[in-house]
Amino acid sequence: MTIRILSDEMASRIAAGEVVERPASVVKELMENSIDAGASEIFVWLEKSGTDLIRVTDDGEGMAPADLALAVERHATSKLSEAEDLFCISTLGFRGEALPSIGSVAKMEIISRPLGATVGQRLRVDGGKKHDLQAAPTAHGTTIEIRDIFFNTPARRKFLKTPATELSHICDVLNRLALANPKVHFRLQHDGRTVADYVAVHDDKDRLHQVLGRDVAKGLLRFDWRNHESGELTVSGYLSSAPTAFPNARHLYTFVNTRFYMVTIPC
Ligand SMILES: Nc1ncnc2c1ncn2[C@@H]1O[C@H](COP(=O)(O)OP(=O)(O)OP(=O)(O)O)[C@@H](O)[C@H]1O
Ligand SMILES: [Mg+2]
């Protein structure tokens, strides 16, 4: 047995399996980056349930050219600097893994312009191969396009489910992020059709109304619980007064510090 160290490209492609399982994982990572960038509008455009194209546009802080060139490298993040930062993470991302992973299993193009810059920059990464930065006119913020996901890992592409199932996973991700961030305007368009359009609202209840519909939202009861001894832990949420409307855990939405978790309840 001869042991050898994998090339960076192979290592990234294998590591990408942890981050990119299906188009919805890409949408989640890109939208989380937009939220971390302080965006107030996040628009997602899909073609063929995300297998042909995923485009996420935000009006967040954008990236300066040097940052953009670094953003697609592994372990490159602006969200952690000291080991102690791991104990007080306030962003959704922190690993510096998402963009390099996505770029290693798809064709990725990032266009970004920070506030105050007169022109934006475009960066392409195709299956892990990074091209040079080019100047590109764009509004401030960031647009990321992902084409042909898994074009170089056909076995993974084969395991994708039907287009309708992949789209429903994407809608679920968008809905969960939208519920946790009511002050952000989210829009999802698929093959030219608007699937969701949640304008920014100030009240959680209004976002519940947008995402779950009027009938479900009007039957929800708010609860708040605080640990009075330490004051550090608070639990709040909404309970449905019409439990028969939810025969399974599909409408169980759980968030810890605005990060959503999928909870599976054994039947
Ligand atoms: N939409 C965006 N707007 C502004 N900066 C961005 C955007 N997307 C990515 N970045 C920058 O690129 C860096 C790398 O992004 P990436 O998603 O790969 O890692 P991360 O968000 O730091 O951690 P994680 O891998 O856990 O998501 C981020 O730390 C951020 O500085
Ligand atoms: Mg990220």
Side-chain angles (χ1 to χ4, degrees):
M1 184 174 74
T2 313
I3 298 182
R4 61 184 82 79
I5 296 191
L6 294 172
S7 68
D8 281 352
E9 196 181 325
M10 274 300 283
S12 289
R13 212 187 280 183
I14 293 167
E18 303 284 319
V19 179
V20 192
E21 194 192 338
R22 56 186 351 143
S25 346
V26 171
V27 172
K28 173 178 181 285
E29 294 296 337
L30 299 184
M31 291 180 70
E32 287 188 346
N33 279 346
S34 299
I35 292 167
D36 285 344
S40 58
E41 287 181 346
I42 303 175
F43 297 156
V44 182
W45 175 276
L46 305 173
E47 287 173 14
K48 282 222 182 131
S49 301
T51 51
D52 278 12
L53 172 67
I54 297 169
R55 183 192 302 127
V56 176
T57 299
D58 70 52
D59 63 348
E61 66 180 339
M63 284 174 271
D67 292 322
L68 177 54
L70 264 185
V72 297
E73 300 291 342
R74 288 188 71 200
H75 314 301
T77 181
S78 57
K79 301 170 191 175
L80 276 186
S81 51
E82 316 282 335
E84 295 80 64
D85 296 348
L86 277 171
F87 298 98
C88 51
I89 288 171
S90 60
T91 49
L92 294 166
F94 57 90
R95 305 156 299 173
E97 280 285 345
L99 293 183
S101 297
I102 297 166
S104 71
V105 293
K107 297 171 188 168
M108 175 164 81
E109 182 175 279
I110 309 177
I111 301 183
S112 194
R113 189 182 125 195
L115 209 57
T118 47
V119 71
Q121 298 288 322
R122 179 199 315 269
L123 176 64
R124 271 181 42 218
V125 178
D126 291 328
K129 289 199 179 50
K130 186 171 153 187
H131 298 261
D132 290 337
L133 284 185
Q134 289 173 331
T138 181
H140 98 263
T142 302
T143 294
I144 306 194
E145 282 193 1
I146 308 299
R147 288 181 191 272
D148 300 335
I149 183 171
F150 301 141
F151 79 99
N152 54 355
T153 49
R156 297 194 71 91
R157 199 173 172 104
K158 226 169 82 189
F159 277 100
L160 292 177
K161 300 280 188 281
T162 63
T165 304
E166 295 303 332
L167 180 62
S168 83
H169 282 290
I170 293 175
C171 292
D172 192 57
V173 161
L174 184 118
N175 283 343
R176 287 172 196 270
L177 288 170
L179 285 170
N181 298 278
K183 293 189 178 73
V184 178
H185 180 183
F186 292 88
R187 183 184 298 147
L188 173 65
Q189 289 172 297
H190 178 236
D191 290 341
R193 194 172 58 87
T194 301
V195 180
D197 193 2
Y198 307 141
V199 296
V201 288
H202 286 290
D203 193 336
D204 295 354
K205 207 81 204 261
D206 293 330
R207 182 51 54 93
L208 286 163
H209 184 155
Q210 291 170 322
V211 175
L212 303 177
R214 198 181 51 147
D215 289 348
V216 173
K218 78 170 186 243
L220 294 175
L221 302 174
R222 168 122 191 144
F223 68 90
D224 284 284
W225 178 85
R226 174 180 286 272
N227 177 341
H228 288 289
E229 273 157 37
S230 70
E232 277 176 7
L233 184 68
T234 64
V235 181
S236 59
Y238 293 86
L239 292 169
S240 170
S241 55
T244 48
F246 305 107
N248 55 40
R250 203 166 73 88
H251 282 297
L252 184 63
Y253 297 102
T254 313
F255 303 87
V256 179
N257 296 338
T258 76
R259 185 188 294 273
F260 75 75
Y261 287 86
M262 307 297 274
V263 178
T264 357
I265 296 187
C267 297

